[in-house]
Amino acid sequence: MAAVLSALFALLAAVGNATGTVLQRVGARSVPPGDAFSIRLVRHLLHHPAWLAGIAVVVGAAACQALALAFGPLSLVQPILVTELPFTLLIACAFSRRRLPAAGWTASVMVAGGLALTLAAAAPSGGNSVVSAGTWVLTLLTTALVISLCVLAALRQPRGKARAALFSSASAIGYALTATLMKSATETFEQRGAGAFFAAWQTYAFVAAGACSLFLLANAMESGPLVASQPALTLGEGLVSVTLGILVYEDRVRTGWWLIPEGVGAVLITWGVLTLVRVDTESGESSAP
């Protein structure tokens, strides 16, 4: 029952994130090019109603994600968030009063089918809830280093696909770290109550990591098209989250011959995501790469 509740809340989080993404893109596309990666970008977005509405929805989605992590392991919850992309395009089409083309529906089915196959084959289960200080230090330093390298590389690029993909990759790693920290904080709340939750450093760390990831995502959206930023965000967050779940919490997944259906599912997800980002929600047709 706990796994079912975890999957349900994760799905609700994906829908919330998708809605927030559509609203944030509306706000981010109005940012002047000269305001990128600066405090002026934040000030501009804070005055845009659509972006503020998107933030409100994302906060609700974060609450659903926290509940999902309270009921299930990181390696179960985070892959389900891959469905955020199909939901994003469906909501974007509804927002622009366009129909999702046949290719979009086919790719959505591929993502859903691939995800179901991968999770059924992997059967992820929770591992150790106690994480050593050394593991936390290594995790924080490694993720911070990789994020910094992505940001530095992005800042050297002009506005376009490469810059958007690099900022999106940094955001994906940040969101994966946020979920990892949130998992620890929610377990503290569940086991020791609200006082321990607000006293835990992980609580403030996941808020800070989430805020930084949101800032990086805003820059990715401002820098280039969805076709450049979304694959790195969707696939990167899922992959890094599963990796952190296994390394930090010692989550367990089935191996051996189960790797074959897991691999097939991963291919279907990747193929579906790369197809979905080519869908033009403005004209209702598939766009060029």
Side-chain angles (χ1 to χ4, degrees):
M1 185 61 180
V4 174
L5 288 174
S6 179
L8 176 60
F9 280 117
L11 196 61
L12 290 174
V15 174
N17 283 333
T19 305
T21 295
V22 173
L23 293 171
Q24 288 175 64
R25 278 181 61 79
V26 172
R29 284 185 295 188
S30 66
V31 175
D35 288 349
F37 206 74
S38 70
I39 193 64
R40 295 189 304 274
L41 179 143
V42 178
R43 285 201 296 261
H44 183 93
L45 292 176
L46 287 175
H47 286 86
H48 201 292
W51 192 83
L52 291 174
I55 292 299
V57 175
V58 167
V59 170
C64 290
Q65 184 180 7
L67 288 170
L69 290 168
F71 285 110
L74 194 70
S75 54
L76 169 64
V77 174
Q78 293 305 107
I80 293 177
L81 296 185
V82 171
T83 58
E84 176 185 334
L85 179 55
F87 284 129
T88 297
L89 294 182
L90 287 169
I91 294 168
C93 285
F95 190 84
S96 59
R97 297 182 180 180
R98 300 285 184 178
R99 295 179 61 185
L100 185 66
W105 287 108
T106 301
S108 296
V109 171
M110 290 174 63
V111 171
L115 179 63
L117 177 61
T118 301
L119 290 178
S125 58
N128 186 12
S129 61
V130 179
V131 181
S132 68
T135 299
W136 278 124
V137 170
L138 181 60
T139 300
L140 293 173
L141 289 178
T142 302
T143 52
L145 175 61
V146 179
I147 289 172
S148 298
L149 291 175
C150 288
V151 170
L152 290 174
L155 292 174
R156 299 180 63 181
Q157 299 291 328
R159 292 180 76 253
K161 292 182 178 180
R163 183 183 176 99
L166 286 166
F167 270 129
S168 188
S169 297
S171 179
I173 298 169
Y175 276 127
L177 177 62
T178 300
T180 305
L181 292 163
M182 185 186 292
K183 172 70 175 176
S184 178
T186 54
E187 288 187 349
T188 298
F189 180 84
E190 184 179 8
Q191 296 172 7
R192 298 163 55 193
F197 173 80
F198 286 109
W201 67 267
Q202 290 92 337
T203 301
Y204 304 96
F206 88 70
V207 173
C212 291
S213 302
L214 182 62
F215 176 71
L216 293 171
L217 181 58
N219 279 276
M221 292 179 176
E222 184 275 336
S223 296
L226 182 69
V227 68
S229 62
Q230 201 64 35
L233 179 65
T234 303
L235 299 175
E237 183 181 353
L239 179 60
V240 175
S241 295
V242 171
T243 302
L244 290 177
I246 293 172
L247 296 178
V248 175
Y249 293 108
E250 299 179 3
D251 287 353
R252 297 180 296 274
V253 295
R254 290 192 291 206
T255 55
W257 74 269
W258 289 105
L259 291 173
I260 297 175
E262 289 170 19
V264 172
V267 170
L268 287 173
I269 293 171
T270 303
W271 192 356
V273 167
L274 295 178
T275 301
L276 279 170
V277 295
R278 295 164 58 92
V279 175
D280 182 3
T281 58
E282 298 298 322
S283 64
E285 302 295 339
S286 292
S287 65

